[in-house]
């Protein structure tokens, strides 16, 4: 069988690096990006901050305790996505197939390119080009599959690269901590530790059925990954198929009226966004997180639409269904998925022409004077922030 | 009970009924044909509880009686036989069926006919007669516009509206609407009912190609369609049909005249490049030029065609689902058609420029919203 050449390429401390481009004073200092006041989490932190034990997804408050002199930056998502797109464009121009798995991470399939030029050498050139053109540090790993390459990138960092030759995957992984396997999180690490499994080598020596009996299907996958086996293909970069928004409250709330207003305002904004992008949704998801972090989601399939009234009605109906516990709510979110290209098919019996005209006029005003220029009264006063759903950073 | 029948005529009758017989039903007896013999007449019926079909044929038999025979095995078997007389005998106790040909013997198990669901009888009905040609035309022109939305049962059938001026057939799924009126047939009294799509699809498939008369009888719960020796009985949809007349716009100042075949061919080509779910096309009308456009951003597909047309009205840009438009145009049979429009958010009305006497056709299609 033809062996594959898969590259995992990852921007180092992406948000921090972008902030450092804007403000060179941040260099060589512990920097945290993220957070809205006291309740936010660390979205990205510099290596200097990591020395204090800070890691991403840690509450800002805890991070401050660990390193009181860290510089905290609020973050500018639009700016980050601009840089992310710059990197995407460079990669797009230089490689045959790639997958953008997040804002700062890419998988590249270089299979079949070895004949023409050394893949490793070529990827080094691409990396240097990215560094030169964007000024951002970036690392990559090259191996036979996605998992090994991702682990290799992690080992290569900061700002370096690494190649794992075909057949050496197991030896490369063996001395590493189990935590390094992608998808092994805190809980799994704990569980494995209790059983005396600390190094990947131990998993490699275990028979697969044992891992399966401990961790179910995940156990099988983890065992395979530990042995350097991973057949997942590259999923080429495609247009997004969903849009969403969510809001974490400054203070947990149980005010149902306020919650209703907020989700209707969220829906209104998303619906406008869909209409400007000429999209229709067929699936609505509502998410609720209670103050004890218990999270519930509910979804419903609907006929393709982008009109406020039908979306708001469904979102409210779903919220009513899902909000069952009489517990304070910490976060609420709305997602539209199953997006297709097209305009709303007007319904002969249900859509009133005046209402449709109203939407058109409102959209016209928004296009001209900004998206907050006009909105429903019920949603007014709740000028919720719009977040990047990945990291909670304000746009 | 014992009777003699020819293979081909039995098979022909069974196949008429077979369309309504389901496999895998909750009630196993619904997978059977009901055979009823009375005075040298065999009536074969099948039902899915909503719709039933029955046919009658002459046979030779001394006894009377009834039995339910599994449909699938019987039809499959008869298809393999050359034309010949068959002797079918049924044990009156066990309902075992034995078929004898000159070559061999075949046995299968029947069930007692008295367990077969009762097929509604035409009580307290009013009647009217239509030719098969007219009925077929009415079904063909309306059935594609019927809704499949089970949450709105009233729209899952064709609305028959009868009065002394004629019959109007209406179908809509709230995105498109067809209204087909025949003024050459009159009903005695004014009434209306909704016939389920499935019954009409079945009826369409069994109506003979030669022109005969179909007797339509109806009461408050059922409709009966009867021609020659065949009858189709269906339960009517018990719901109120939407007030469709109120939503058909009457003032449509913009008129677009088109050659039906031209626009249909254009749409079929352009539609291939549109989004596979929404089939959205944009009609841009400028003077006497019609520009039909489609695009699918997800795949970078794009199409653009220009057609000559006759247009009177203000220049406009309106979006439609091309599938709806082409379905409607395909259901028409005139050479020239006209599309009446008012604004980009209002219905488009598709009409034939000339109609045959005795009929009147109106099709309506709702546009899609284009972003401002």
């Amino acid at each position: 069988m033809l062996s594959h050449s898969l590259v995992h390429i990852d921007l180092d401390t992406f948000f921090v690096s972008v902030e450092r481009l804007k403000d060179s004073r941040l260099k060589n200092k512990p920097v945290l990006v993220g957070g809205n006041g006291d309740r936010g989490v660390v979205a990205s932190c510099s290596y200097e901050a990591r020395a204090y034990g800070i890691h991403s997804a840690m509450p800002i408050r805890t991070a401050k305790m660990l390193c009181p002199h860290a510089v905290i930056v609020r973050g500018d998502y639009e700016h980050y996505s601009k840089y992310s797109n710059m990197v995407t464009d460079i990669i797009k121009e230089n490689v045959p197939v790639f997958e953008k798995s997040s804002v700062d991470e890419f998988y590249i399939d270089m299979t079949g390119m070895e004949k023409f030029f050394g893949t490793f050498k070529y990827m080094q050139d691409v990396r240097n080009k990215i560094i030169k053109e964007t000024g951002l540090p970036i690392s990559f790993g090259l191996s036979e599959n996605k998992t090994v390459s991702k682990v290799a990138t992690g080992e290569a960092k900061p700002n370096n690269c690494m190649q794992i030759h075909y057949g050496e995957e197991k030896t490369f992984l063996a001395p590493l901590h189990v935590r390094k396997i992608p998808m092994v999180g805190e809980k799994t690490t704990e569980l494995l530790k209790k059983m005396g499994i600390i190094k990947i080598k131990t998993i490699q020596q275990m028979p697969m059925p044992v891992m399966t009996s401990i961790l179910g299907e995940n156990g099988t996958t983890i065992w395979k990954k530990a042995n350097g086996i991973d057949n997942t293909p590259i999923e080429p970069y495609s247009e997004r198929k969903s849009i969403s928004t969510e809001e974490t409250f400054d203070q947990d709330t149980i005010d149902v009226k306020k919650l209703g207003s907020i989700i209707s305002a969220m829906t209104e904004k998303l619906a406008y966004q869909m209409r400007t992008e000429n999209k229709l949704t067929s699936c609505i998801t509502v998410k609720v997180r209670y103050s004890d972090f218990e999270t519930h989601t509910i979804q419903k399939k609907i006929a393709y639409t982008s009109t406020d009234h039908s979306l708001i009605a469904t979102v409210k109906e779903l919220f009513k269904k899902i909000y069952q516990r009489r517990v304070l709510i910490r976060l609420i979110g709305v997602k539209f998925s199953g997006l297709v290209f097209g305009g709303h098919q007007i319904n002969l019996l249900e859509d009133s022409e005046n209402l449709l005209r109203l939407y058109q006029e409102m959209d016209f005003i928004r296009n001209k004077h900004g998206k907050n220029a006009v909105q429903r009264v019920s949603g007014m006063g709740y000028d919720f922030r719009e977040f990047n759903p990945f990291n909670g950073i304000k746009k | 009970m014992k009777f003699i029948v020819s293979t081909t005529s039995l098979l022909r009758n069974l196949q008429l009924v077979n369309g309504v017989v389901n496999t895998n039903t909750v009630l196993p007896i619904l997978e059977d044909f009901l055979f009823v013999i009375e005075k040298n007449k065999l009536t074969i019926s099948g039902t899915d509880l909503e719709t039933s079909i029955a046919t009658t044929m002459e046979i030779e038999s001394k006894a009377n009686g009834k039995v339910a025979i599994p449909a699938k095995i019987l039809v499959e078997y008869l298809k393999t036989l050359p034309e010949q007389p068959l002797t079918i005998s049924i044990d009156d106790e066990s309902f075992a069926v034995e078929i004898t040909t000159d070559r061999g013997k075949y046995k299968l198990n029947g069930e007692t006919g008295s367990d077969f669901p009762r097929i509604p009888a035409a009580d307290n009905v009013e009647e009217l007669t239509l030719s098969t040609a007219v009925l077929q035309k009415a079904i063909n022109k309306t059935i594609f516009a019927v809704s499949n939305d089970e949450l709105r049962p009233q729209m899952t059938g064709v609305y028959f509206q009868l009065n002394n001026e004629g019959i109007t057939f209406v179908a809509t799924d709230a995105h498109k609407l067809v209204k087909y009126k025949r003024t050459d047939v009159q009903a005695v009294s004014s009434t209306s009912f909704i016939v389920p799509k499935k019954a009409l699809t079945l009826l369409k498939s069994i109506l003979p190609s030669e022109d005969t008369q179909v007797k339509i009888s109806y009461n408050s719960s059922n409709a009966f369609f009867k021609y020659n020796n065949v009858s189709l009985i269906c339960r009517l949809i018990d719901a109120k049909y939407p007030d469709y007349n109120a939503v058909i716009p009457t003032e449509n100042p913009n008129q677009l005249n088109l050659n039906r075949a031209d626009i249909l061919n254009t749409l079929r080509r352009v539609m291939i490049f549109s989004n596979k779910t929404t089939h959205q096309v944009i009609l841009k009308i400028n003077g006497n030029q019609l520009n039909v456009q489609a695009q699918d951003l997800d795949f970078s597909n794009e199409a653009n065609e220009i057609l000559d047309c006759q247009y009177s009205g203000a220049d406009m840009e309106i979006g439609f689902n091309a599938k709806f438009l082409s379905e409607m145009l395909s259901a028409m049979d005139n050479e020239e058609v006209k599309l009446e429009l008012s604004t980009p958010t209002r219905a488009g009305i598709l009409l034939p420029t000339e109609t045959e006497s005795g009929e009147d056709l109106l099709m309506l299609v709702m546009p899609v919203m284009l972003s401002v």
Side-chain angles (χ1 to χ4, degrees):
Chain A
M1 198 192 86
L2 182 75
S3 79
H4 290 264
S5 292
L6 291 180
V7 178
H8 176 255
I9 190 160
D10 189 5
L11 290 151
D12 299 353
T13 61
F14 177 50
F15 300 153
V16 174
S17 303
V18 176
E19 292 300 333
R20 281 180 172 164
L21 285 181
K22 278 203 295 192
D23 186 349
S24 58
R25 287 174 302 172
L26 295 174
K27 277 183 186 163
N28 306 318
K29 279 184 190 161
V31 180
L32 307 180
V33 175
N36 341 290
D38 264 356
R39 294 166 62 85
V41 293
V42 177
S44 174
C45 55
S46 68
Y47 282 93
E48 291 79 4
R50 286 181 201 191
Y52 290 87
I54 298 171
H55 56 81
S56 50
M58 176 184 271
I60 290 271
R61 205 184 278 181
T62 322
K64 264 189 190 163
M65 279 192 307
L66 289 170
C67 176
H69 62 284
V71 185
I72 300 172
V73 186
R74 274 294 281 269
D76 177 350
Y77 181 72
E78 255 168 58
H79 211 66
Y80 302 150
S81 68
K82 202 178 93 194
Y83 275 95
S84 170
N85 289 338
M86 273 164 69
V87 177
T88 312
D89 287 343
I90 299 172
I91 291 177
K92 202 183 204 167
E93 275 171 25
N94 289 287
V95 307
V97 186
F98 75 102
E99 169 185 340
K100 186 171 181 174
S101 57
S102 76
V103 270
D104 57 355
E105 247 184 296
F106 302 84
Y107 287 100
I108 300 166
D109 192 344
M110 295 292 287
T111 308
M113 304 297 279
E114 304 86 350
K115 269 190 230 166
F116 306 102
F117 26 75
T119 309
F120 192 62
K121 175 79 184 53
Y122 183 75
M123 282 312 301
Q124 279 176 318
D125 291 347
V126 174
R127 174 173 166 255
N128 289 334
K129 197 169 180 184
I130 294 169
I131 296 171
K132 199 176 142 217
E133 289 186 19
T134 63
L136 296 169
I138 189 162
S139 305
F140 76 85
L142 164 66
S143 79
E144 200 264 335
N145 63 48
K146 277 177 151 182
T147 303
V148 178
S149 295
K150 189 173 165 108
V151 178
T153 311
E155 291 305 296
K157 279 189 175 193
N159 206 7
N160 211 332
C161 52
M162 187 186 267
Q163 178 175 22
I164 308 301
H165 289 283
Y166 186 65
E168 287 169 15
E169 292 86 0
K170 272 181 87 166
T171 1
F172 162 67
L173 293 171
L176 301 175
H177 194 275
V178 287
R179 187 67 207 261
K180 300 270 182 180
I181 305 174
M183 95 178 264
V184 173
E186 223 167 289
K187 278 187 186 160
T188 319
T189 315
E190 268 312 296
L191 186 72
L192 293 172
K193 198 175 157 192
K194 272 184 201 154
M195 294 185 296
I197 306 169
I198 292 164
K199 294 273 155 69
I200 295 181
K201 193 176 180 184
T202 323
I203 301 181
Q204 289 176 352
Q205 288 162 346
M206 287 163 69
M208 187 170 83
V210 177
M211 281 297 284
T212 316
S213 68
I214 304 165
L215 292 162
E217 282 211 359
N218 284 342
T220 317
T221 324
I222 292 174
W223 184 87
K224 282 188 180 163
K225 290 191 170 182
N227 281 283
I229 306 166
D230 178 13
N231 299 324
T232 39
I234 296 271
E235 280 165 27
Y237 176 66
S238 64
E239 263 210 72
R240 60 181 169 172
K241 295 280 187 242
S242 73
I243 56 172
S244 64
T245 178
E246 55 185 47
E247 161 92 334
T248 309
F249 303 117
D250 294 335
Q251 245 178 0
D252 295 350
T253 180
I254 202 163
D255 183 344
V256 179
K257 207 177 153 204
K258 176 179 157 190
L259 289 164
S261 303
I262 290 173
I263 50 171
S264 97
M266 284 175 161
T267 310
E268 199 179 343
K269 291 227 162 117
L270 288 178
Y272 165 66
Q273 199 183 334
M274 281 203 298
R275 289 194 297 269
T276 48
E277 290 177 24
N278 248 317
K279 296 276 183 191
L280 299 170
T281 175
S282 64
C283 183
I284 300 181
T285 312
V286 172
K287 173 165 143 190
V288 164
R289 179 170 293 151
Y290 295 101
S291 54
D292 57 0
F293 274 83
E294 205 177 297
T295 309
H296 296 265
T297 58
I298 183 171
Q299 67 177 48
K300 189 181 177 184
K301 285 249 167 210
I302 51 159
Y304 284 104
T305 186
S306 59
T307 54
D308 292 3
H309 62 280
S310 53
L311 291 170
I312 290 175
T314 317
V315 164
K316 285 196 164 171
E317 172 200 320
L318 289 177
F319 175 67
K320 213 170 163 187
K321 254 190 213 162
I322 189 121
Y323 181 53
Q324 290 298 341
R325 298 173 68 204
R326 293 287 161 241
V327 175
L328 290 169
I329 290 183
R330 177 185 164 85
L331 170 149
I332 184 166
V334 177
K335 178 167 103 176
F336 296 151
S337 51
L339 301 187
V340 295
F341 177 79
H344 170 71
Q345 168 67 56
I346 303 172
N347 188 301
L348 175 63
L349 307 166
E350 284 161 11
D351 291 334
S352 95
E353 202 198 340
N354 288 339
L355 205 53
L356 298 176
R357 289 255 297 279
L358 176 71
Y359 292 149
Q360 286 192 324
E361 293 304 325
M362 280 168 70
D363 287 353
F364 181 74
I365 296 170
R366 287 174 180 137
N367 289 346
K368 205 169 169 188
H369 301 288
K371 56 188 165 190
N372 293 323
V374 54
Q375 69 179 117
R376 278 179 167 67
V377 174
S378 65
M380 263 167 81
Y382 305 112
D383 184 25
F384 61 87
R385 294 164 286 246
E386 281 159 71
F387 291 102
N388 167 14
F390 298 111
N391 52 28
I393 290 179
K394 194 182 171 184
K395 277 187 187 175
Chain B
M1 177 165 81
K2 188 174 172 182
F3 62 94
I4 298 165
V5 66
S6 105
T7 45
T8 34
S9 68
L10 179 61
L11 182 61
R12 199 172 57 237
N13 280 288
L14 289 180
Q15 278 170 332
L16 286 173
V17 181
N18 204 24
V20 79
V21 180
N22 284 319
T23 49
N24 294 325
T25 58
V26 212
L27 215 56
I29 204 162
L30 297 183
E31 294 171 23
D32 295 352
F33 292 120
L34 176 68
F35 280 61
V36 180
I37 301 169
E38 227 178 78
K39 294 175 199 155
N40 283 328
K41 265 196 177 155
L42 167 65
T43 305
I44 306 164
S45 4
T47 183
D48 65 1
L49 298 178
E50 298 281 326
T51 314
S52 316
I53 300 178
T55 72
T56 313
M57 62 189 290
E58 306 280 334
I59 50 155
E60 281 175 48
S61 170
K62 290 196 182 89
N64 295 338
K66 59 179 173 181
V67 62
I69 304 175
K72 194 167 172 241
I73 182 167
L74 190 61
V75 171
E76 243 173 54
Y77 161 66
L78 284 173
K79 275 184 190 165
T80 64
L81 279 184
E83 162 67 18
Q84 62 190 292
L86 289 179
T87 309
I88 301 178
S89 54
I90 293 124
D91 187 297
D92 291 333
E93 298 281 307
S94 67
F95 300 101
V97 182
E98 192 178 294
I99 305 171
T100 318
T101 66
D102 48 6
R103 206 165 276 182
K105 264 189 184 170
Y106 311 85
K107 283 184 184 175
L108 70 156
N109 254 332
E111 291 174 80
T112 167
S114 43
D115 285 351
F116 202 83
R118 201 183 64 86
I119 291 165
D123 299 328
N124 302 322
V125 291
E126 287 188 34
E127 284 176 5
L128 101 155
T129 311
L130 277 182
S131 75
T132 44
V134 169
L135 187 58
Q136 229 149 13
K137 212 170 171 185
I139 296 174
N140 285 336
K141 290 206 186 314
T142 52
I143 202 153
F144 72 90
V146 172
S147 164
N148 294 317
D149 183 0
E150 279 163 21
L151 294 174
R152 290 180 183 76
Q154 67 274 26
M155 275 143 65
T156 58
V158 173
Y159 185 53
F160 284 54
Q161 209 176 16
L162 288 56
N163 56 36
N164 55 10
E165 284 171 16
I167 307 186
T168 310
F169 304 87
V170 185
T172 183
D173 63 359
H175 295 144
K176 51 192 183 290
L177 179 145
V178 181
K179 177 177 150 187
Y180 180 64
K181 190 171 178 181
R182 296 294 308 200
T183 46
D184 50 0
V185 208
Q186 277 91 32
V188 195
S189 59
S190 298
T191 184
S192 60
F193 48 85
I194 309 167
V195 183
K197 181 180 184 175
K198 191 183 171 194
L200 291 172
T201 312
L202 281 168
L203 185 61
K204 191 177 137 181
S205 68
I206 61 170
L207 277 180
S209 46
E210 76 268 18
D211 207 7
T212 61
Q213 296 295 306
V214 183
K215 192 171 85 184
I216 306 176
S217 337
Y218 44 91
N219 56 27
S220 56
S221 48
N222 293 292
F224 308 81
F225 298 85
K226 196 166 171 18
Y227 66 89
N228 304 341
N229 58 340
V230 184
S231 55
L232 182 143
I233 300 114
C234 70
R235 193 188 291 167
L236 298 171
I237 295 172
D238 185 16
K240 191 176 173 293
Y241 205 75
D243 182 9
Y244 65 92
N245 271 320
V247 291
I248 301 176
T250 44
E251 279 191 31
N252 306 298
N254 305 316
Q255 276 209 17
L256 176 66
N257 286 285
L258 290 159
N259 178 289
R260 191 176 65 94
D262 287 352
I263 179 73
L264 194 53
N265 288 331
T266 296
L267 283 170
R268 281 181 182 150
R269 279 190 295 270
V270 170
M271 193 161 82
I272 298 170
F273 296 84
S274 69
N275 180 281
K276 291 286 165 289
T277 312
T278 58
H279 304 287
Q280 180 174 317
V281 293
I282 298 174
L283 309 187
K284 282 185 186 166
I285 316 163
N286 257 323
N288 281 336
Q289 215 171 54
L290 169 67
N291 192 336
V292 185
Q293 295 178 346
Q295 62 170 341
D296 188 356
L297 283 184
D298 295 342
F299 295 93
S300 304
N301 292 344
E302 233 181 281
N304 198 332
E305 267 198 37
I306 293 171
L307 262 174
D308 286 330
C309 63
Q310 279 183 348
Y311 183 64
S312 64
D315 289 354
M316 71 186 293
E317 199 176 313
I318 186 166
F320 285 111
N321 181 328
K323 203 167 152 241
F324 295 167
L325 278 183
S326 66
E327 277 173 343
M328 291 174 24
L329 287 162
S330 308
M332 299 176 97
D333 25 39
N334 313 71
E335 202 182 318
E336 300 286 325
V337 294
K338 72 178 167 203
L339 181 61
E340 295 185 349
L341 302 165
S342 61
T343 70
T345 51
R346 276 205 186 173
I349 310 279
L350 193 62
L351 301 162
T353 40
E354 292 168 13
T355 46
E356 284 174 38
S357 71
E359 68 168 18
D360 199 5
L361 177 67
L362 178 145
M363 298 202 184
L364 173 153
V365 59
M366 294 308 289
V368 293
M369 299 260 289
L370 299 178
S371 57
V372 287

